[in-house]
Amino acid sequence: MSMRLTPHRFVAANPIGVDWVCGDLHGEFESLQSSLSCAGFNKTVDRLFLLGDTIDRGPESRALLEWVLATEWVHSVIGNHELMFIAGAEDTGSRYKHRGMGGDWVASLDEASYQSLATRCRYQLPLTITLECEKGYLGLVHAQSPFDDWRTVQGSPFSERFAIECTWPWSRAQRADHTISGISAVVSGHIGTAEIVQKGNQLWIDTLAKTGQVPLMPVHQVLDRVAKVPRNE
């Protein structure tokens, strides 16, 4: 993996609207738009934070990815599917692996479009986000926090290992309750479950594939859900 990615990005609080977080979408662009409308999402003041894996498997990967990259009020971390998409722009072996993960839609792209989209992903999408909220701070990462302390995440330089640890393993979702220190809550997707999984102050909300319902929720609901969990500082 020769590319360099942004390891972390801090996003200041939204003073006038609602911030929303959403799990893996995998090309379900129309379903997302319908869910935003039903939820009363206000495009003039609200913001949407995605947990990666916006592409592959579903019917509208290119349209959804281009919309994410072009829409000012949409933010997303990199998932393992975006990671393989970016790697495929540099390495044919990674490109074949990506197609085996549901990335067949890439075959319809001409090379210039592929390289352009991959470059935009590389520079616009970080591996992790810290989101300032009214009642705390939310850590966003696709698979799980790579460290027990979110402050270590915030200060980590880019490395291939860091990128992999943010986008592939999900052992924390299988462990007994435990908290990530230095952050109010951590929200991830990736694991494909029928219900939200909570371990201490960590939530995994990748429920679309198993339920057919877009996992969209305002960030204050996340913080309310973990508010009673003791924090290790």
Side-chain angles (χ1 to χ4, degrees):
M1 186 187 301
S2 62
M3 88 287 280
R4 291 188 62 84
L5 305 170
T6 301
H8 177 263
R9 183 171 295 153
F10 177 84
V11 179
N14 184 347
I16 56 174
V18 178
D19 286 339
W20 301 73
V21 63
C22 184
D24 304 26
L25 290 166
H26 286 296
E28 296 291 346
F29 191 24
E30 184 176 342
S31 295
L32 171 63
Q33 296 301 324
S34 176
S35 294
L36 291 173
S37 178
C38 289
F41 187 95
N42 186 339
K43 296 178 181 180
T44 61
V45 293
D46 293 353
R47 300 184 300 192
L48 176 64
F49 291 83
L50 304 177
L51 295 169
D53 281 8
T54 58
I55 56 173
D56 301 343
R57 301 176 181 162
E60 297 178 278
S61 288
R62 180 176 184 174
L64 177 53
L65 181 59
E66 289 180 334
W67 177 81
V68 168
L69 294 170
T71 305
E72 184 178 6
W73 43 264
V74 177
H75 305 260
S76 181
V77 297
I78 289 175
N80 58 304
H81 284 258
E82 287 89 5
L83 192 67
M84 291 302 297
F85 174 70
I86 296 168
E90 300 184 356
D91 173 65
T92 55
S94 296
R95 190 173 302 197
Y96 284 118
K97 289 179 182 178
H98 175 233
R99 290 184 181 180
M101 295 166 54
D104 289 341
W105 64 278
V106 173
S108 67
L109 297 176
D110 60 72
E111 189 62 24
S113 297
Y114 190 154
Q115 294 294 331
S116 175
L117 276 175
T119 299
R120 292 169 66 192
C121 287
R122 175 180 170 184
Y123 286 104
Q124 290 184 231
L125 309 182
L127 288 161
T128 64
I129 290 175
T130 298
L131 174 60
E132 182 183 19
C133 306
E134 182 180 359
K135 296 182 180 180
Y137 293 86
L138 205 60
L140 308 179
V141 58
H142 177 63
Q144 65 181 17
S145 174
F147 300 108
D148 293 333
D149 191 324
W150 191 257
R151 289 162 291 201
T152 306
V153 176
Q154 293 172 317
S156 292
F158 173 76
S159 67
E160 179 177 345
R161 179 177 180 182
F162 183 80
I164 291 172
E165 290 295 322
C166 288
T167 55
W168 284 97
W170 50 283
S171 56
R172 292 186 185 277
Q174 300 171 297
R175 289 166 52 184
D177 281 359
H178 63 291
T179 64
I180 302 299
S181 60
I183 195 75
S184 304
V186 177
V187 188
S188 301
H190 187 54
I191 65 175
T193 53
E195 298 179 345
I196 293 174
V197 173
Q198 181 171 351
K199 300 291 183 177
N201 67 341
Q202 305 163 87
L203 267 63
W204 286 263
I205 63 169
D206 178 18
T207 58
L208 175 58
K210 294 289 182 69
T211 67
Q213 302 298 312
V214 173
L216 175 70
M217 59 195 303
V219 297
H220 69 80
Q221 285 189 6
V222 176
L223 294 172
D224 289 346
R225 183 164 181 153
V226 303
K228 297 181 181 181
V229 178
R231 295 175 60 191
N232 299 323
E233 298 293 340

